[in-house]
Amino acid sequence: MSLRTARIVSLVVTVVGAIVLLQNATFSWLGNQQGYEPVQPIAFSHKIHAGDNQISCLYCHSAAEKSRVAGIPAASVCMNCHSQIRKDSPEVQKIAAALSDNKPIQWVRVHDLPDHVAFNHSRHVSAGIKCQQCHGPVETMERVAQFDSLFMGTCVSCHRTHREVTLDKTGKPVIAKEATPKRLMASTDCSVCHH
Amino acid sequence: MNGEKLWKIFQQQDADRDSVDLVNIEPRAAMSRRTFIELIGFSAAAAALAGCRAPEQKIIPFITQPMAEFTPGVGLFYASTCGGCSASCGALVKVRDGRPIKLEGNDLHPLTGGGLCAVAHAMVFELYDSDRLRQPMRGSQAATWDEVDAEIKKQLDGIKQNGGKVRVLTSTITSPTTLAVIEKFLTQFTDGKHITYDAVSTAAIRKAHLKTHGREAIPSYKFDAAKLIVSFGADFLGTWIAPVEFTRGYSQARNLRDGRHEMSRHIQFESRLTLAGSNADRRVKVSPAEEIESLLLLAKLVAAKTGQQAPAEIASFNPTNLNPRLQQVVEQTANELVKLKGASLVVSGANDTDAQVVVNFINNALGNYGATVDLNAPSAQKQGDDEAMAELVREMNAGEVKALIISGVNPAYDHFARNEFTSGFAKVPLKISLNPTRDETSANADFICPQSHFLESWNDAEPRRGTFSLSQPTIAPLFQTRAYQESLLRWSGDERNFYNVLREHWKENIFAKDANFDELWDKSLESGAYTIERTAAAQPAFASSDVGNAATRLKTRAMTLAGKLTVALYEKILMRDGAHANNPWLQELPDPITKITWDNYASVSPALAEKLQLEEGSVVRVSNGATTIELPAHIQTGQHDDVIAIAVGYGRTHAGKAGNNIGANAYPFVSFDNGTFQYLANGASIEKTGAKIEFASTQRHHTLDGRPIIKEFTLAEFISGHAGEGERERQSQSIWKDHAYGEHKWGMVVDLNACTGCSACILSCQAENNVPVVGREEVRRQREMHWIRLDRYFEGDGETTKVVYQPVMCAQCDNASCESVCPVLATVHSSEGLNMQVYNRCVGTRYCANNCAYKVRRFNWFDYPHDDEIANLALNPDVTVRTRGVMEKCTFCVQRIEEKKILARNEGRAIRDGEIQTACQQSCPAQAITFGDLVDQESRANHLKHDERDYILLPELNLRPAISYLAKVRNTEEA
Amino acid sequence: MAVAVKHTEDLAHEATHPVVSPLRKPLIEGHKTYGDVTTDICNLLDRRAGAGWWIAFSVSFVLMVAGIIATAHTVSTGIGTWGLNKTVGWAFDITNFVFWIGIGHAGTFISAILFLFNQKWRTSVNRSAEAMTIIAVMCAGIFPVIHMGRPWLFYWILPYPNNRGSLWVNFRSPLVWDFFAISTYFTISLVFWYLGLVPDLATARDRTISKLRRGFYKVLSLGWNGSNRTWSRYETVYLVLAALATPLVLSVHSIVSFDFATSLIPGWHSTIFPPYFVAGAVFSGFAMVMTLMILVRKLMRLEDYITVQHLENMCKVTLLTGSIVSLAYLTEVFIGFYSGNPNEMFVIVNRVLGPYSWAYWTMVTCNAIVPQLFWFKRVRTSVPLIFVLSILVNVGMWFERFVIIVTSLHRDFLPSSWAMYMPTITEITIMLGSFGLFFTLFLLFLRIFPVISMNEVKGVLHYARR
Amino acid sequence: MHAVRRESINTRYTAAFFKREEDLLAAAVEAREAGFEIHDAYTPFPVHGLDQAVGLRRSRLTWIAFIAGSIGLAFGLGLQVYTSVYDWPLNVGGKPFNSFPLFIPVTFELMVLFSGLIAIGVLLIRNRLWLFSKRLVFDRVTDDRFVLVLRQSDASFDVRRAMKLFAKHGAIKVIEGDEFV
């Protein structure tokens, strides 16, 4: 075939390919906060707490079991340990200060779903979904960054597969081969999240 | 947002360029795979976008973890008492993240059960009313509590030394502790007196019982025990004394669900169409004069038929204004009453001692005392003493009153002689207002010590003797306000806070001495109520001495009224006495009878309108010589030609931004006569001004035009099983296989026989679902947003107007016509039979609304204001606030469904029947609404779906709605 | 025969083409030669616009701008700026939409259907009729977008892969059908029109004196050189397109009618809508073509090309379609009662006697009674009369859509939610604006493109002459 | 013009101008009978019978349009069934996931769209019609002249015979040249 035809064909292939490959990118870049990693008022390291010291997520984010929100621990909760441990660390000092002069710590929100999305932590936690599936390997993060795009597609794909979700050693979610018992069946009704 | 720290890393790499931001807007994953095509494609747009990235959000946790039961994001319910009016109904306050967002009925409350009225639901909005005073005021200057306390104490001490009258003027107070506090406060002074003033008073009942039974009290009326109710213009379902309590009893006695085949009978003699009258089995349209004469005639006949000896004035009474038909009606009524001796109830709405005396006579003759009328458990819900008020005004004008403290009253607006009051008020050297806002009266006070909202403060109530309820603060005061009891305590030199006073009072006076206080206290707090079991006592003896004179006076009164135009003043179900005029939820709630919002009006009968060539909305000048006001006319079928009905509670000037200058103030028509306020102004004249306005009404067509929308039977037909006849089209044919429903299939049944049209459901829904208020202009354009519509249809001619109510909300049709036309799948069906509306997907073609047979969909024509930061605190965080251009509608309170589903799943159990209650169902005083799971064969809803009265709206369309109705039954034949 | 001849070398030509047909009159008057046709049409492009054109243009332009402002107001403030309410969710917006779509149909009818039926007279009018179609569809297309509550999200009715997992569109919704139907209709009409234009653009290219125009036509004429190979493929494709456009034009208005027919609203839910709407569309379309053609032949002095005979033919079509529409009205009323369905009956009564009866009777007068005048040849051949009547017909057809939409919606099943609708200034301005847009674009077309399909006219120049 | 490009440079063409389509037709017919190789004819409008006269095969574009239409049909139906039955089935108004009758309109429209656009696309490509094409156009051939072009295929081409033939049919002008570019 002539050079011109070749050019046409190749161009078509490239464009179509690009659209298919980058589908997500093509239609999703607006307002995507994936990778958002704001500097926090206190250099709190999840790596040290959840990673090295193996503190359970739910110790601080205790509401996650009972409520739609996971909750940010009150300064007093931090002091449960830090009244003994590393009292002198400047970062811990900040907390102590906050407690003493009764000024709440203003954390910068990392994971922020739109107001028209009602995500319920308690349901997912008690269904056995690992925090890491959406939040990523937080226990390895010095400063928390948004791991997933948290687009509707993410939720839906998981709700569709109705499967037990486990994490491999790198913290990547793995969807089990066989379907799990009913208690883990998830609904894809719009009203489950949008009301 | 300030990008500095956020994008630091990249700024180090290269100085400027929007592409820097682009890198971060792009998903990580995509970046690696980005090709050059994509880059050129997006960098331009990204440049534009750099500006509109999601703004930085802060999370502010608690300093110290609050009490154990608190979890962010989880709603908690606290038992409390509604402070909306003096009825003091039991309520549950839903608190979310530390702020009360909704009032619900407290089903543990002995009087009101789970019921609440419309006003109660609007109270949450009042808590967040930004027109409330934010701190105490000295005149019009802001002050601190210490300052005002100091000055007030100083002046009071002065009065203590020099003596002089100190008056505390309050609305009805049902709180025993508060009364004690006021008592304590007044004992400091040589001449201290507490005066209770109700703008809309029922003092006559108390005075009448003082005359006939020697007890100045309002008895408790047992509408649930009465088999036959005869009411002379008493709107006991709408506004009279304790509507919620009465509605509950009324509907219990008329409940035909679950195989019951008997219901009480209700006969109403009235001149204007009241809510109670609209529900009557037999409604007799009478003029005020005829009303009085029918009452007298009834007394005569009842006495005769019961052999009760009656004073000559009654025994010899011959009606002069009653036409034969009416006489016959009264005769029949008398027969029915006598047949049901001891199980009947006669009430009158007139605030006229004589009328009430005669009513007592009849009830006594019928032996209803002890059965349906109980003086041993009197109601404390209306304590207004009209004479005392009149005396106070006199004292003030005479300059005798040294100090006046007002709380919860606004006489400068709602006293019939407000000029007299204000002139006297001006003469009082120390004027203290404890009202929450700078209203008409407070505006002229020396000090305003704003009281906290009842949701911010401790209190108790004893609406009926022996029945106590507590109310507890559900949020710390938003502003620098203080419970008015505390103010009084301070000024009595008592530094305790009211909470302790309350506990001590209960310890001393209410709980049994030997009881374990804390245990009882906690139990009462939890349930919200505490009752003292009374040993049955005999009713006080009846003394007929005054009946004769009463009858004579009534006759002459009837004469004066006869054939003349009379202005009949009344309270609207929503606006009541006008205290809550600044509440837009109430202003926009359509009146159940007229369906008009944001206005009061002069209701005239069609005949009168024709005579004066009035059209709906043409402005008229109503006058009785002394008073003249201009109002638009509303043509009301079922109203007597001699009557012009005008609602009080409008024409406020100092209510606030929502309530000012809406309608006209009708209180000046009130008169003080024979020891009570009279709400009938006779010798009225009415003339057309030529002007004309358009009402903001939500229903413009008032008849059924023979359409089979409402099914209605007589009790006889129902008993003989006619209700079951006719269609069962819901099992109609389908050309394709229906979708199977899984775990649940939500459905609802509305009992039209129970629904009284009180409209509480509309506001409950509004509060629960963040339904916006759109304002008078938009309602005029027929754009109100309420998710529940209370359709009201008139049947029959003007003589025997019958009224039916039908709550219509989204029916969640299985074959929803709205779904198939939505281009973007913004409304589709859930696996649980819900018709889901996804606001964030909606593009607003309005096709669904056009294609909805029930017209229950509502469109956001504009961005409705949410700029009042304080008012926004009333929003329910579980429900999306809809933006401009999207469709919305009833969701069966899907947020509640999801909440309970999640709860049940987390607890690894099935959802219990009745566990999920929709907002409208929860607080329906008549329990007309039942919601449940139709998959569950045992569920109550399923059970009712098989009731013989069950029918669906527009079955011919095969929409398969999940809502069905239970036909209305009228107990027409004489018992 | 002795005729005034322009080129001497054409003498012989004339001589060999005497008028021989005793029955048929020539389609083109004035004994034109090929050269004359070229000259007449191409000179129109180079000549400066006359006063008439400028007046017409400025009026329509002002209207258009007003419409744009009103639209901006709507989009920025909300649909609340219109007179709609909880019961009447559509009114002027969809009325205008259906009206303009309807207008468009005449163009396709003339260019495609008459082509298939080998109606030679179409050649003088099809070019501008097709242009009208395209412009009308543009006007129509605006309304479904701006009537949305959130028009900036209109692209959500496109099925494209997205990150909502992918959430597609509801192919059961007539609005989605509309989108596909109208975009297809627009595309096909456009290419059809353009294809017909190419040879004439080539002619213009070779004739025009202005450099700018030559460059413009050179690009658009795609290097057309009249080669016979091209011609033969060209004609094949032209035929194919005509064959496609014919069912297309029928489908488009049928689908538009589905917006109503597939719903359950009494007065909408009706099976006669598709043919009823198509007939109505052609009816209004031809009326509009006549209005325009009368203007064009005056403005552009094309009496020789667009003859009274053309107008008369169109009058006949109008008469036919008008009668079909009237039949539809009768059927509607009949079925309303024959159905025995109380709601249907009520809608009919409410239309005829209800609060909007004035609209109904305007419609009946203009659509059922007025066109009957075309039975008389005197009317059919009097240009001023045709002009007035054709405008009346369009007024009527606009009201037809208004009646169907509003009178059905404002009183449906439950009397409690019955309501009245009255348009706001904003809505009226937007409607006038759409007319402004229509005429602005059409007038521009007259100045930029050969108004008459020269190559086709040349093809039929000797009709009834040989 | 690709015909030209494919020929060796020294191929020459003879173009005769006529005033009337009948003359062109007659000339073309006779030229073919006389064994001349007709390169192409150029006319201001499609002249009926010219295809046969110059011996042109019937165009296959109708078939292309048909195939394109079928593709459109398949695509339309496929898209709708895939999205509403397989990818994300949703209960819309109680209708079955595969609401085939409701898929017909879109299917039809896509069929027409594909058919039409592809047919035109092919036409433009086959005829090398594109925006910036620079091709010779005979004088007045888009106006009122009809041109017949013969290819001087080999040395045996007799110019004198051709001229005579043209003259006989009233040609008003004859030009000759190599690839006329």
Side-chain angles (χ1 to χ4, degrees), chain B residues 727-754:
Chain B
E727 53 78 37
R728 270 289 184 267
E729 273 119 45
R730 74 208 56 180
Q731 290 87 14
S732 60
Q733 299 303 314
S734 170
I735 57 168
W736 54 68
K737 224 173 113 287
D738 296 338
H739 288 276
Y741 290 104
E743 282 176 272
H744 310 289
K745 167 88 174 74
W746 305 112
M748 184 180 275
V749 181
V750 180
D751 186 348
L752 295 183
N753 197 45

Side-chain angles (χ1 to χ4, degrees), chain C residues 146-382:
Chain C
I146 66 168
H147 99 291
M148 289 183 182
R150 304 200 287 174
W152 50 92
L153 295 177
F154 78 96
Y155 64 90
W156 276 1
I157 66 171
L158 292 168
Y160 63 92
N162 55 58
N163 56 36
R164 303 182 198 93
S166 285
L167 180 57
W168 303 100
V169 304
N170 179 11
F171 286 107
R172 301 165 187 84
S173 165
L175 282 183
V176 170
W177 305 347
D178 273 343
F179 169 76
F180 279 90
I182 287 154
S183 46
T184 306
Y185 182 51
F186 180 72
T187 322
I188 295 295
S189 313
L190 188 66
V191 293
F192 194 37
W193 175 72
Y194 178 60
L195 194 60
L197 208 46
V198 169
D200 285 4
L201 288 171
T203 314
R205 169 196 66 200
D206 303 345
R207 283 292 297 227
T208 184
I209 43 183
S210 123
K211 260 197 155 39
L212 182 71
R213 286 173 172 279
R214 185 175 300 111
F216 176 70
Y217 295 133
K218 192 170 174 55
V219 171
L220 286 189
S221 59
L222 307 176
W224 180 272
N225 65 354
S227 142
N228 185 50
R229 292 175 202 283
T230 318
W231 272 124
S232 90
R233 292 201 188 101
Y234 173 94
E235 282 196 289
T236 320
V237 171
Y238 202 80
L239 185 67
V240 168
L241 283 183
L244 288 172
T246 304
L248 180 62
V249 71
L250 298 183
S251 82
V252 168
H253 225 58
S254 305
I255 288 176
V256 169
S257 80
F258 288 162
D259 286 348
F260 310 105
T262 61
S263 81
L264 51 61
I265 300 300
W268 282 12
H269 181 70
S270 156
T271 45
I272 68 162
F273 267 24
Y276 168 15
F277 270 52
V278 172
V282 177
F283 180 49
S284 61
F286 265 90
M288 183 60 93
V289 175
M290 290 198 284
T291 321
L292 291 178
M293 287 310 133
I294 290 170
L295 288 174
V296 168
R297 71 200 289 270
K298 276 270 153 291
L299 280 178
M300 307 300 224
R301 308 198 194 77
L302 289 171
E303 285 85 350
D304 288 347
Y305 292 88
I306 305 165
T307 65
V308 173
Q309 190 189 350
H310 288 102
L311 295 172
E312 189 179 356
N313 291 346
M314 292 196 273
C315 288
K316 289 176 183 162
V317 181
T318 318
L319 174 56
L320 172 68
T321 48
S323 312
I324 299 176
V325 169
S326 322
L327 178 64
Y329 294 164
L330 292 174
T331 322
E332 237 182 354
V333 175
F334 171 74
I335 293 296
F337 289 93
Y338 181 71
S339 67
N341 176 335
N343 295 321
E344 289 293 337
M345 287 190 218
F346 174 81
V347 168
I348 299 301
V349 176
N350 186 46
R351 270 185 196 168
V352 181
L353 308 169
Y356 287 108
S357 51
W358 54 273
Y360 182 82
W361 289 110
T362 321
M363 162 187 110
V364 170
T365 328
C366 297
N367 296 354
I369 300 164
V370 162
Q372 298 308 317
L373 293 172
F374 287 138
W375 284 109
F376 308 102
K377 190 170 177 73
R378 194 174 277 123
V379 181
R380 288 206 303 272
T381 48
S382 139

Side-chain angles (χ1 to χ4, degrees), chain A residues 75-88:
Chain A
S76 60
V77 176
C78 309
M79 296 316 276
N80 290 352
C81 303
H82 282 293
S83 47
Q84 276 76 26
I85 308 158
R86 306 204 53 206
K87 290 208 260 342
D88 46 3

Side-chain angles (χ1 to χ4, degrees), chain D residues 20-94:
Chain D
R20 310 185 325 185
E21 61 269 42
E22 309 89 310
D23 304 346
L24 174 71
L25 277 167
V29 173
E30 192 170 333
R32 264 178 83 217
E33 286 162 354
F36 288 107
E37 187 182 341
I38 296 179
H39 169 66
D40 200 347
Y42 299 84
T43 59
F45 59 87
V47 174
H48 290 289
L50 192 54
D51 297 2
Q52 297 83 332
V54 300
L56 213 58
R57 267 190 288 96
R58 209 167 152 284
S59 161
R60 294 179 306 268
L61 270 164
T62 41
W63 287 104
I64 290 175
F66 173 77
I67 294 158
S70 323
I71 294 171
L73 185 140
F75 174 75
L77 203 52
L79 174 73
Q80 296 177 84
V81 171
Y82 168 70
T83 55
S84 26
V85 180
Y86 296 101
D87 190 42
W88 194 337
L90 282 163
N91 174 354
V92 176

Side-chain angles (χ1 to χ4, degrees), chain A:
Chain A
M1 78 180 135
S2 76
L3 180 60
R4 193 198 278 112
T5 353
R7 273 215 207 88
I8 295 166
V9 172
S10 56
L11 181 65
V12 170
V13 171
T14 337
V15 171
V16 172
I19 291 175
V20 173
L21 274 178
L22 308 171
Q23 200 197 83
N24 214 44
T26 321
F27 298 107
S28 73
W29 50 287
L30 170 54
N32 185 348
Q33 293 284 314
Q34 194 171 27
Y36 177 44
E37 189 178 353
V39 174
Q40 300 290 359
I42 294 177
F44 174 84
S45 161
H46 279 83
K47 182 173 178 301
I48 296 171
H49 293 79
D52 308 350
N53 297 328
Q54 295 291 316
I55 301 171
S56 145
C57 310
L58 292 172
Y59 177 77
C60 302
H61 303 286
S62 51
E65 278 175 312
K66 300 169 268 168
S67 167
R68 58 185 282 185
V69 298
I72 304 291
S76 60
V77 176
C78 309
M79 296 316 276
N80 290 352
C81 303
H82 282 293
S83 47
Q84 276 76 26
I85 308 158
R86 306 204 53 206
K87 290 208 260 342
D88 46 3
S89 134
E91 299 301 318
V92 175
Q93 295 294 322
K94 288 185 194 166
I95 306 172
L99 261 170
S100 55
D101 46 26
N102 196 27
K103 274 213 184 60
I105 305 154
Q106 299 208 354
W107 299 96
V108 182
R109 188 179 194 123
V110 180
H111 302 87
D112 185 18
L113 292 176
D115 293 353
H116 54 70
V117 182
F119 174 84
N120 189 305
H121 275 88
S122 72
R123 183 62 207 125
H124 292 82
V125 170
S126 49
I129 307 290
K130 305 275 175 301
C131 309
Q132 286 84 342
Q133 174 160 17
C134 307
H135 295 289
V138 178
E139 70 280 7
T140 67
M141 298 181 188
E142 272 299 340
R143 183 168 70 196
V144 175
Q146 183 168 330
F147 168 78
D148 192 286
S149 69
L150 296 183
F151 281 130
M152 179 172 154
T154 323
C155 314
V156 171
S157 58
C158 185
H159 272 229
R160 275 184 185 147
T161 51
H162 304 324
R163 303 271 176 88
E164 184 91 55
V165 179
T166 51
L167 302 173
D168 67 11
K169 56 191 80 57
T170 69
K172 286 233 174 338
V174 181
I175 294 171
K177 297 280 165 296
E178 74 292 340
T180 53
K182 194 158 184 300
R183 66 177 186 84
L184 274 179
M185 297 290 263
S187 164
T188 50
D189 290 340
C190 318
S191 55
V192 171
C193 309
H194 299 302
H195 49 65

